[in-house]
Amino acid sequence: MDAELTEIIAELVSRETENPPGNERRAAEYVHEWLTDRGVDAELVSEPYEDRPQVAARVGEGDPTVVLNGHIDVVPAGDREEWSRPPYGAEVEDGRLYGRGSADMKTGVAVGMKALADLKAPIESGELGGSLAFQAVIGEETAEPGTKTLLERGHDGDYGVVLEPTGMRTATSEKGLAWYEITVAGEPSHASRPTQGDNAISNARPVLAALEAYDDRIGEREDDLVGRAHATVTQIEAGTKENVVPEDAVITVDRRFLPDESADQVDAEIDDLLAEVEADHGVETSWRRTRTYESAAIDPDSRLADVFREASAERADVPTDPWGVKASTDVRNFVNDASIEAITWGPGDLAQAHTYDEHVELADATAGLRALEDALGTLLDE
């Protein structure tokens, strides 16, 4: 295990950066200080939000430029009683470091920081060509424009590596994600006179049935790398009091879509679905899309992907077949918004993300660092 890498991971995990509300500042300041102390040209960027700085850093001036990207926000720790260790204690036991964000994705951020510092000397001496950039971004967990803003401000390059925990598998595509709130209308009345009103919960039944049928239907759509499409009802909210017939019900749908689908296409499908329910059942509905992560994909046989597959296989028992990630990441900002060839790749187990007792295997983190530096050495030396 790399002792300095472990120290960086622990320091990042111990700085609580839950989003919401979005309090990444202490982690950003640590990253900035750590890099500048090692002579790396780094800056705190107060965009898109003044009170939530991001870090942009760079070594070298040549081509190509590889951008390493990681988000410093984490999902809330939830019920602290469910954790066997303090979620921000960064405790190490049996080769594992525990804490919220240890897997998703402060280990990736730490690996990027360490690689930047380690490769500074060979890049600046000319031993390695090209240049290396690094981004520690805010707001990934809530689809905020942290990465997008840095890319728009010129903190970009020729290749991108989003250091999410993929077990060091190289993902060249990912699903998109759209969240929908569907409001089903009713009419309130006292529960002692239920027929005087119009129960929104009852009205929601045909909507729920239509959504279930929709999920079955789109499940026939499948991508070789990321699997099938999904539409999953994740929340239902209705009612104001025990003795009041509810006047509306709000259904939340998590729609995972494939690289050849788009959010606009899904919008049209939701529109058609609800129009059919209204026509068949006389139910009044409205909807809005509340959050969007577009899907993204590059050529699975790209040079960038091949280099990372080979480097990972050299350092660990990692499959080298083409692969895609079912979650959504900021790789979409590189591919879709900035037209930069990019992959999702990093040490750690994605199954640990957002769990109680989240942890990372420190041996995997070290193997990831070595594989990353190997891959960067190959890319920058071409």
Side-chain angles (χ1 to χ4, degrees), residues 298-381:
I298 65 169
D299 182 353
D301 297 318
S302 70
R303 175 62 175 155
L304 174 65
D306 285 343
V307 167
F308 271 81
R309 289 189 192 108
E310 291 170 10
S312 298
E314 285 290 324
R315 293 289 181 175
D317 183 20
V318 179
T320 58
D321 53 311
W323 182 71
V325 65
K326 294 179 173 60
S328 297
T329 78
D330 278 357
V331 80
R332 72 192 185 283
N333 297 130
F334 284 86
V335 175
N336 299 340
D337 299 321
S339 299
I340 295 172
E341 188 175 299
I343 57 172
T344 305
W345 177 96
D349 184 357
L350 189 59
Q352 285 296 317
H354 305 184
T355 62
Y356 293 123
D357 287 340
E358 180 182 349
H359 61 267
V360 65
E361 299 282 351
L362 292 171
D364 292 345
T366 298
L369 173 62
R370 304 293 177 245
L372 176 61
E373 293 180 347
D374 291 347
L376 293 173
T378 300
L379 289 170
L380 297 178
D381 203 32

Side-chain angles (χ1 to χ4, degrees), residues 90-101:
E91 294 183 2
V92 176
E93 183 178 331
D94 295 330
R96 295 175 172 177
L97 188 148
Y98 289 82
R100 173 59 81 230

Side-chain angles (χ1 to χ4, degrees), residues 243-273:
N243 61 346
V244 177
V245 171
E247 63 179 310
D248 58 45
V250 179
I251 301 168
T252 300
V253 179
D254 178 301
R255 174 66 160 88
R256 304 285 167 148
F257 56 96
L258 307 182
D260 62 354
E261 299 179 292
S262 69
D264 289 342
Q265 175 187 336
V266 178
D267 285 352
E269 292 174 352
I270 296 294
D271 232 359
D272 291 345
L273 180 151

Side-chain angles (χ1 to χ4, degrees), residues 28-248:
E29 291 173 342
Y30 167 72
V31 172
H32 179 259
E33 181 181 5
W34 190 93
L35 291 173
T36 55
D37 283 350
R38 285 152 183 81
V40 174
D41 181 14
E43 63 176 302
L44 288 170
V45 180
S46 297
E47 294 179 90
Y49 310 119
E50 182 69 30
D51 60 339
R52 296 168 64 187
Q54 313 192 89
V55 181
R58 187 183 182 101
V59 294
E61 297 295 335
D63 296 324
T65 298
V66 181
V67 184
L68 306 178
N69 169 279
H71 66 85
I72 52 177
D73 61 323
V74 301
V75 297
D79 184 356
R80 305 291 176 101
E81 297 299 317
E82 294 293 331
W83 289 76
S84 65
R85 298 165 178 81
Y88 299 105
E91 294 183 2
V92 176
E93 183 178 331
D94 295 330
R96 295 175 172 177
L97 188 148
Y98 289 82
R100 173 59 81 230
S102 54
D104 183 19
M105 60 168 293
K106 287 179 174 177
T107 291
V109 173
V111 164
M113 292 166 60
K114 187 72 163 58
L116 194 68
D118 288 349
L119 297 180
K120 177 177 182 292
I123 289 173
E124 292 181 343
S125 70
E127 181 184 340
L128 285 178
S131 55
L132 189 58
F134 172 78
Q135 303 172 344
V137 304
I138 61 94
E140 189 274 347
E141 294 290 359
T142 49
E144 294 171 279
T147 294
K148 184 178 181 181
T149 299
L150 289 183
L151 293 171
E152 289 174 344
R153 299 301 183 269
H155 302 287
D156 56 4
D158 301 288
Y159 301 110
V161 183
V162 178
L163 296 162
E164 295 275 7
T166 67
M168 292 169 55
R169 292 195 74 178
T170 302
T172 56
S173 63
E174 67 175 20
K175 283 184 180 177
L177 161 62
W179 288 349
Y180 292 86
E181 283 186 359
I182 299 171
T183 300
V184 182
E187 185 70 32
S189 69
H190 197 286
S192 65
R193 300 184 298 277
T195 57
Q196 180 180 320
D198 185 17
N199 195 317
I201 293 176
S202 298
N203 292 344
R205 289 173 182 163
V207 178
L208 292 169
L211 288 168
E212 185 174 355
Y214 174 61
D215 180 54
D216 289 340
R217 189 164 63 252
I218 64 173
E220 298 175 4
R221 305 173 191 171
E222 193 161 357
D223 179 88
D224 289 342
L225 300 186
V226 300
R228 59 157 288 187
H230 291 280
T232 306
V233 174
T234 56
Q235 289 181 312
I236 302 176
E237 297 181 4
T240 57
K241 199 171 185 293
E242 294 87 343
N243 61 346
V244 177
V245 171
E247 63 179 310
D248 58 45

